[in-house]
Amino acid sequence: MCRVRGLCVIGLGLIGGSVLRAAAAAGWEVWGSSIGSDAEAAATSGYRVLDLPQALRQAAEVEALTLLAVPLPAVDEILTAVHEHAPTVRLTDVVSVKAPVMEAVLRKAPKARYIGGHPMAGSAESGWEAGSTELFRGAPWAISTTVSGGDGSMDIDVWSEVATLALDCGAHVVPVGPAAHDAAVARISHLPHVLAAVLASVGAEAGPLALTLAAGSFADGTRVAGSEPELVLSMCEGNAAALLPALDEALGRLGAARGAFASTRSLEATITGGHAARVRWDEHRARQAASGIPVHIDLHAPEAPQALLGVGEQGGWITALQAGVAIATVPRSA
Amino acid sequence: MCRVRGLCVIGLGLIGGSVLRAAAAAGWEVWGSSIGSDAEAAATSGYRVLDLPQALRQAAEVEALTLLAVPLPAVDEILTAVHEHAPTVRLTDVVSVKAPVMEAVLRKAPKARYIGGHPMAGSAESGWEAGSTELFRGAPWAISTTVSGGDGSMDIDVWSEVATLALDCGAHVVPVGPAAHDAAVARISHLPHVLAAVLASVGAEAGPLALTLAAGSFADGTRVAGSEPELVLSMCEGNAAALLPALDEALGRLGAARGAFASTRSLEATITGGHAARVRWDEHRARQAASGIPVHIDLHAPEAPQALLGVGEQGGWITALQAGVAIATVPRSA
């Protein structure tokens, strides 16, 4: 296609602002809408910032992809505006949970052609000023294969547009089902925030001497406790159904460690198990960086959604889209 | 004093090897002893490496400071050799717990003039090759004010020598009592290792999709789980008396978070409390970096040990020693 792709970004904080910049750098025609100081900061940086109805009407008019980059508690309100001003727009998001956003779309903007997304990048900073075109370089970007409404079959047109956006931002596309996504991020993204908060509190309670002696392990273990609490809360609380069992698993493991330590003075199972797990992750990433098993998926084939999901379940990702074919790699086994 | 200071380092891994390099760069006459590949690597790098009896006899002969840089389980054996070859030597260490090492010195090398130390620096790497002269630059280096044997009064000569070594390595000296040190590091150094192990295990159990999506928060939260398990175990298990209550506090906080989350769907107390705690630490470090309240302590005054401990308890540290006076700064109150 030779047409210029259009992108309307609602919410110009760290993530939305970075997508806006990266997409513009990749040649998309972009505009956005935001509240507070982010709107002014983006406009001052030279980007087109409109009010919400204007931005959405513009998206409807030129059939632009619309990206919701607001915290979960703000999603309903934005979707109501989508339904009013751009009811059938192609829609995606960057919210850190996928099942609740899908439900919200079905409730509030049922005609929108929605494919959920979640780029796995960020920082402890927030707001437009913290963003950059490079934020997503090499990062995984989860994209759902489930569509809202209709017969449940995947809308290739929308899916390709969202995947192209992620690839143009420098990310790799990881196809996910909403429930599998939410269970995974509960363990590798939301639980880390809860543990960081617990560690920070235990450390700070220990007084000035402990705060002076605290170094690398405390700095790393508490880094994400520095994130905006409102953003962390909306992320964790929006994923309660999946986070609760992850918390229980962490509690169970920590309780077992405590019990073994008290009775045998040994932490061997905990520490060697944790080390093996971390090494497994390092090896997983190394296998991803190495040339994996190439998989080509014809997006117009009826089995495309299952094939895409299979790539994600095996730890693979999509690195390019060419003429309706997704080019994926799956890491080789250890 | 114009005499060249001598330093004998037993154990040439990451920490011992870095002290050897940094002290040599600061003009100390250094030599070491080590087992395994570290000995060969240090010798290849041009340092003098002797066998253990030789190294200790040399230290006794020239009245060099001797530094134990071995894991806690190896301390008893080294102290037995110290008692045989250099019984009255000035002795310090870098082991991550202080009370158990003090007890071991009293048992195994009761004539040694021992002041415990603990530089708060490291990395997930280990071994001679991972070391550098810059490892301790700006880091806190805890030094005990308690001496072994005698009337319990502080040996100014040994204390000054150990503090000078730390300062020459670029560190700041934090005076500590052994029990206060062990309680503090349980919370800010050993607990982070246990939580990192738990997080790594929960994440890796979640399968390839989760390992692919894992990004910054998982990377930071599990980084120290990549450390050598043997070193982590000897560190944590050697501090069991202090680590157990720290584990209980973490379990209590995590359990409270889980309970509140299950019943109210809110994690607000946990997340906002953790954020406030992390901010407190950031502010503490900023106040340390800013010019604090200067405190000068005459090391020959009878109240010197209490004055030194007071600096540590208030979150301060010593930045220089001049003519028997410790020059400290204590952070200004928030």
Side-chain angles (χ1 to χ4, degrees):
Chain A
M1 286 189 294
C2 299
R3 73 173 174 83
V4 172
R5 294 173 188 270
L7 177 69
C8 168
V9 178
I10 308 300
L12 298 173
L14 172 70
I15 304 295
S18 295
V19 176
L20 191 82
R21 290 178 179 93
W28 292 58
E29 186 191 340
V30 302
W31 62 97
S33 181
S34 199
I35 55 171
S37 59
D38 289 334
E40 200 178 311
T44 303
S45 302
Y47 291 92
R48 193 148 62 104
V49 180
L50 308 174
D51 68 23
L52 183 61
Q54 279 181 321
L56 291 172
R57 282 197 298 264
Q58 171 84 5
E61 201 167 300
V62 302
E63 297 188 21
L65 179 64
T66 296
L67 177 87
L68 304 190
V70 297
L72 184 62
V75 162
D76 272 15
E77 186 188 335
I78 303 294
L79 287 173
T80 302
V82 167
H83 190 59
E84 182 179 350
H85 301 290
T88 62
V89 79
R90 288 177 296 179
L91 191 67
T92 187
D93 72 315
V94 296
V95 177
S96 59
V97 287
K98 297 276 62 72
V101 176
M102 171 66 85
E103 287 157 24
V105 171
L106 292 174
R107 267 188 290 112
K108 297 288 184 180
K111 295 183 202 159
R113 289 174 293 153
Y114 168 73
I115 292 275
H118 182 205
M120 306 305 295
S123 85
E125 314 268 301
S126 56
W128 168 271
E129 300 291 356
S132 97
T133 53
E134 296 302 303
L135 186 65
F136 309 107
R137 185 74 52 201
W141 187 314
I143 297 183
S144 176
T145 56
T146 311
V147 288
S148 61
D151 60 358
S153 65
M154 201 175 87
D155 185 326
I156 300 301
D157 169 50
V158 184
W159 199 90
S160 300
E161 192 84 349
V162 176
T164 299
L165 175 65
L167 295 168
D168 281 354
C169 288
H172 304 306
V173 171
V174 181
V176 295
H181 167 275
D182 293 354
V185 296
R187 284 167 166 75
I188 53 82
S189 174
H190 303 167
L191 179 62
H193 281 84
V194 179
L195 292 181
V198 165
L199 178 59
S201 292
V202 174
E205 281 302 306
L209 174 64
L211 291 182
T212 297
L213 296 180
S217 63
F218 188 74
D220 289 343
T222 61
R223 187 186 63 88
V224 293
S227 311
E228 268 302 318
E230 292 73 18
L231 296 179
V232 176
L233 283 170
S234 74
M235 183 173 86
C236 292
E237 293 173 3
N239 199 21
L243 180 52
L244 212 46
L247 273 177
D248 281 336
E249 193 179 330
L251 261 175
R253 286 182 179 273
L254 192 59
R258 194 273 175 208
F261 197 41
S263 60
T264 68
R265 286 293 190 258
S266 170
L267 281 168
E268 187 164 4
T270 301
I271 297 297
T272 59
H275 181 257
R278 167 76 196 198
V279 167
R280 250 170 83 190
W281 186 52
D282 290 338
E283 290 172 350
H284 181 82
R285 286 188 298 172
R287 284 200 301 276
Q288 284 183 310
S291 69
I293 302 161
V295 178
H296 289 199
I297 297 167
D298 177 355
L299 293 176
H300 294 90
E303 66 275 17
Q306 277 312 312
L308 289 171
L309 282 180
V311 165
E313 283 159 9
Q314 293 169 76
W317 53 29
I318 290 156
T319 54
L321 281 189
Q322 282 170 12
V325 174
I327 299 171
T329 63
V330 169
R332 295 176 194 279
S333 299
Chain B
M1 285 188 296
C2 299
R3 72 171 175 83
V4 172
R5 295 173 187 270
L7 177 70
C8 167
V9 178
I10 309 300
L12 298 172
L14 171 69
I15 304 293
S18 295
V19 176
L20 192 82
R21 290 177 178 95
W28 292 58
E29 187 190 338
V30 302
W31 63 95
S33 181
S34 199
I35 55 172
S37 59
D38 289 332
E40 199 179 310
T44 303
S45 302
Y47 292 93
R48 191 146 65 103
V49 180
L50 308 174
D51 67 23
L52 182 61
Q54 279 181 321
L56 291 172
R57 282 197 297 265
Q58 171 84 5
E61 201 168 299
V62 303
E63 297 188 21
L65 179 63
T66 295
L67 176 87
L68 305 190
V70 298
L72 184 63
V75 161
D76 272 16
E77 186 188 334
I78 303 293
L79 287 173
T80 302
V82 167
H83 190 59
E84 182 179 349
H85 301 291
T88 63
V89 80
R90 288 177 298 179
L91 191 66
T92 186
D93 71 316
V94 296
V95 177
S96 59
V97 287
K98 297 279 58 76
V101 176
M102 171 66 84
E103 287 158 23
V105 171
L106 293 173
R107 268 186 290 111
K108 297 288 182 180
K111 295 185 203 159
R113 289 176 293 154
Y114 168 72
I115 292 275
H118 181 205
M120 306 304 296
S123 86
E125 314 269 299
S126 56
W128 169 271
E129 300 291 355
S132 98
T133 54
E134 296 302 304
L135 187 65
F136 309 107
R137 185 73 53 198
W141 187 315
I143 298 183
S144 176
T145 56
T146 311
V147 288
S148 61
D151 60 0
S153 65
M154 201 176 86
D155 185 325
I156 300 300
D157 169 51
V158 184
W159 198 90
S160 300
E161 192 85 349
V162 176
T164 299
L165 175 64
L167 294 169
D168 280 356
C169 289
H172 304 306
V173 171
V174 181
V176 294
H181 168 275
D182 292 355
V185 297
R187 283 167 167 75
I188 54 83
S189 174
H190 304 166
L191 179 61
H193 282 84
V194 179
L195 292 181
V198 165
L199 178 59
S201 292
V202 174
E205 282 302 307
L209 173 63
L211 291 182
T212 297
L213 296 181
S217 63
F218 188 75
D220 289 343
T222 62
R223 188 186 62 91
V224 294
S227 311
E228 269 301 318
E230 292 74 19
L231 296 179
V232 176
L233 283 170
S234 74
M235 184 172 86
C236 291
E237 293 174 0
N239 199 21
L243 181 51
L244 211 45
L247 273 177
D248 282 335
E249 192 179 331
L251 262 175
R253 286 180 179 275
L254 192 59
R258 194 273 175 210
F261 197 41
S263 60
T264 68
R265 287 294 190 257
S266 170
L267 281 169
E268 187 165 3
T270 302
I271 297 298
T272 59
H275 181 256
R278 167 74 195 200
V279 168
R280 250 168 83 187
W281 185 51
D282 290 338
E283 290 171 350
H284 181 82
R285 287 188 297 171
R287 284 200 300 276
Q288 285 182 311
S291 70
I293 301 162
V295 178
H296 290 197
I297 298 167
D298 178 356
L299 293 176
H300 295 90
E303 66 275 19
Q306 276 313 312
L308 289 171
L309 282 180
V311 165
E313 283 160 8
Q314 294 170 75
W317 53 29
I318 290 156
T319 55
L321 282 188
Q322 281 170 13
V325 174
I327 298 171
T329 64
V330 170
R332 295 176 195 279
S333 299

